[in-house]
Amino acid sequence: MIPVQGFAGHQVAVLGLGRSGLSAARALREGGATAVCWDDNPKAREAAEAEGFETRELTRDGAFDEIACLIVSPGIPHLYPTPNPVIAKAWAAGVPVDNDIGLFFRSLATREWDEFDTAPRVIAVTGSNGKSTTSALIHHILSTTDRHSQLAGNIGRGVLDIDPPGDGDVVVLELSSYQTDLARALTPDVAVFTNLSPDHLDRHAGLGGYFAAKRRLFAEGGPDRAVIGVDENEGLYIANQLSEGPGDDRVIRVSSGQKLTGPGWHVYARKGFLTEWRKGKQVGSIDLREIKGLPGAHNHQNACAAYAATRALGVAPRQIEAAMTSFAGLPHRSQIIAEKNGVTFVNDSKATNVDSALKALQAFKNIRWICGGLQKEGGLDALAPGFDHVRKAYVIGREADGFAVQLTGVEAEACGTMEVAVARAAAEAEPGDVVLLAPAAASFDQYDSFEKRGEDFAARVQAALAQL
């Protein structure tokens, strides 16, 4: 655990008692503060009380008397579409509002670091798509090359639950826009921006607000090195804002599909090959085509970002290549779960928006596509460039009929449930086909999470294969 610094002897309010909220309360107590907790869910309050925490209704008058700070869980809106009433109370009382990420960065360094030969480093990864895979791949590369690493944040453990890092250790954080938007301290050593596509627009009042939340990791933090995906204008903008000139190698530009050259530091992937280009010459290359854990151009972009981040810490290209070869990928992200009779079954349940689903469609051919769910804003037209890889779509979700009619130019069958969709796709698949779950939608109309949806897909695949 990382004991929270700076609040010893003070009361700190904690709003939201899920994983990050309870973790923050424990870390505050470990650092000598008194955590005053609240959650609208009575069971969550009971769990906090069972650990000895005081619970207090934070919207009542005087609730913020003697409160030094309010810590907010990431799922709670603080500004858009409307401020949470507790946060509004904190504002009115002049109480600073922060989250567990802010507490982490203000509390990580200790006097013990003065005795270390090499100070611990933090790599923070944000972006719309690929940040989980990129974070996990960075962690895998470091662990494989005998550099002690911990993975936390939006993936793995809560940021305050990790062990205090030792001499030369690395902490790899995946950070969502919900986490970067509110944190009062953001000071990674290496910051990574994968890409940007529309998502969480209601929470951030549009694409501009969503991008602004991501950009805070770079604008507020001032990382020593920034790894920036430049395949969208937003990435180009961040890279330009951070760089002092074409040869400034504090900024490592990353691309999937573009050849990047020039006097700076670049890492790009084209036609399945990763290339590192620095100071006007090629200094590294990896053939990504046979790495099963990283299929498709979107994963090649993730590989470039992870390569750049670990190179920034001094890991050698050949070490990175060997580590990538042993990377198995993450569950629910282009995960091959079965192969039978020449048909491959791929679980990409994490493809919850149109952009990530398109990348999945472009990564495979001859696709029997299982899609659908709780549709997000913006429609499905942006999926069209991937339709030539689709043999047929099998649509799930409560609004399967409405989703199916939007797939213009694709044969689509409204199946409703995962059971029916998998059974139909498996029965109709031919050798060389890929049965791909890439929903292009949220899961919450039928499942508690994308993980549950992916697990159901895997179970239905096994059941269908048993009948073949």
Side-chain angles (χ1 to χ4, degrees):
M1 176 176 291
I2 305 294
V4 172
Q5 300 182 41
F7 292 109
H10 296 277
Q11 294 185 56
V12 177
V14 178
L15 177 62
L17 298 173
R19 184 187 73 162
S20 66
L22 272 178
S23 172
R26 296 181 191 116
L28 284 160
R29 182 165 60 188
E30 190 72 15
T34 299
V36 178
C37 303
W38 185 255
D39 193 297
D40 290 337
N41 185 336
K43 290 185 178 180
R45 297 198 299 270
E46 291 172 7
E49 290 166 356
E51 294 192 32
F53 293 112
E54 175 191 347
T55 58
R56 181 189 303 174
E57 170 45 275
L58 293 172
T59 56
R60 64 176 173 81
D61 291 342
F64 280 95
D65 293 350
E66 307 302 324
I67 295 294
C69 186
L70 171 65
I71 304 304
V72 179
S73 293
I76 298 173
H78 63 276
L79 185 57
Y80 301 112
T82 56
N84 180 277
V86 173
I87 295 173
K89 278 280 188 181
W91 290 346
V95 172
V97 180
D98 204 347
N99 62 13
D100 62 329
I101 304 301
L103 294 180
F104 169 84
F105 278 111
R106 71 177 287 164
S107 304
L108 184 64
T110 66
R111 290 182 178 177
E112 293 179 357
W113 288 25
D114 294 338
E115 307 301 321
F116 293 164
D117 291 330
T118 304
R121 305 285 190 88
V122 177
I123 301 176
V125 181
T126 195
S128 295
N129 300 309
K131 56 186 179 292
S132 293
T133 297
T134 299
S135 300
L137 182 56
I138 291 170
H139 173 62
H140 177 78
I141 293 168
L142 294 172
S143 300
T144 303
T145 55
D146 296 324
R147 297 175 184 236
H148 187 262
S149 170
Q150 297 182 79
L151 181 63
N154 205 43
I155 186 175
R157 305 162 71 185
V159 291
L160 295 170
D161 286 334
I162 68 170
D163 300 324
D167 195 339
D169 289 356
V170 182
V171 178
V172 183
L173 301 182
E174 179 198 337
L175 299 180
S176 73
S177 60
Y178 293 0
Q179 294 169 308
T180 58
D181 197 18
L182 193 57
R184 295 171 71 90
L186 287 167
T187 54
D189 298 281
V190 179
V192 180
F193 176 83
T194 59
N195 51 57
L196 193 88
S197 62
D199 208 355
H200 309 304
L201 299 187
D202 57 338
R203 175 68 178 264
H204 298 291
L207 185 60
Y210 176 53
F211 173 57
K214 301 288 190 185
R215 181 177 174 270
R216 288 193 75 244
L217 183 61
F218 305 88
E220 305 289 334
D224 295 334
R225 278 251 158 70
V227 176
I228 309 294
V230 294
D231 289 333
E232 294 90 26
N233 286 333
E234 291 83 359
L236 290 167
Y237 174 82
I238 293 176
N240 184 267
Q241 288 279 298
L242 296 176
S243 176
E244 294 297 330
D248 187 350
D249 67 0
R250 295 173 304 164
V251 178
I252 308 175
R253 291 168 173 82
V254 166
S255 175
S256 176
Q258 301 181 63
K259 182 177 181 180
L260 303 177
T261 59
W265 196 349
H266 313 286
V267 180
Y268 63 89
R270 291 186 70 213
K271 299 180 180 179
F273 286 88
L274 179 152
T275 298
E276 178 186 4
W277 189 275
R278 191 174 186 186
K279 296 181 180 179
K281 63 180 181 180
Q282 181 177 318
V283 295
S285 179
I286 297 175
D287 185 350
L288 301 172
R289 294 172 298 175
E290 299 304 317
I291 300 178
K292 284 196 171 184
L294 296 167
H298 60 306
N299 275 311
H300 293 175
Q301 183 187 55
N302 300 334
C304 288
Y307 178 98
T310 49
R311 286 288 289 133
L313 295 187
V315 184
R318 295 283 77 87
Q319 290 180 303
I320 298 173
E321 180 176 15
M324 285 184 176
T325 301
S326 64
F327 182 65
L330 288 180
H332 317 296
R333 297 161 176 87
S334 296
Q335 177 192 18
I336 297 174
I337 59 171
E339 294 178 276
K340 187 171 182 179
N341 299 332
V343 178
T344 302
F345 295 80
V346 178
N347 170 18
D348 202 341
S349 184
K350 186 60 172 66
T352 59
N353 59 40
V354 167
D355 185 67
S356 55
L358 174 60
K359 288 180 170 63
L361 293 180
Q362 292 174 327
F364 303 97
K365 296 181 179 179
N366 303 320
I367 297 171
R368 303 281 176 176
W369 178 31
I370 298 176
C371 56
L374 188 61
Q375 189 173 331
K376 297 184 178 181
E377 295 180 21
L380 304 177
D381 291 348
L383 289 165
F387 285 171
D388 59 345
H389 288 192
V390 177
R391 297 193 65 183
K392 183 178 177 179
Y394 306 81
V395 186
I396 62 173
R398 294 178 185 172
E399 304 297 331
D401 289 326
F403 197 100
V405 298
Q406 299 178 64
L407 303 177
T408 306
V410 173
E411 181 185 354
E413 178 181 346
C415 297
T417 68
M418 185 72 73
E419 180 179 13
V420 173
V422 170
R424 293 286 296 155
E428 296 179 357
E430 300 173 353
D433 284 355
V434 174
V435 176
L436 170 68
L437 171 65
S443 60
F444 302 121
D445 59 334
Q446 292 181 310
Y447 301 93
D448 291 338
S449 65
F450 73 83
E451 292 96 339
K452 293 295 184 184
R453 179 171 58 190
E455 290 166 6
D456 189 30
F457 171 71
R460 301 298 181 184
V461 167
Q462 295 305 320
L465 293 181
Q467 302 299 317
L468 296 180

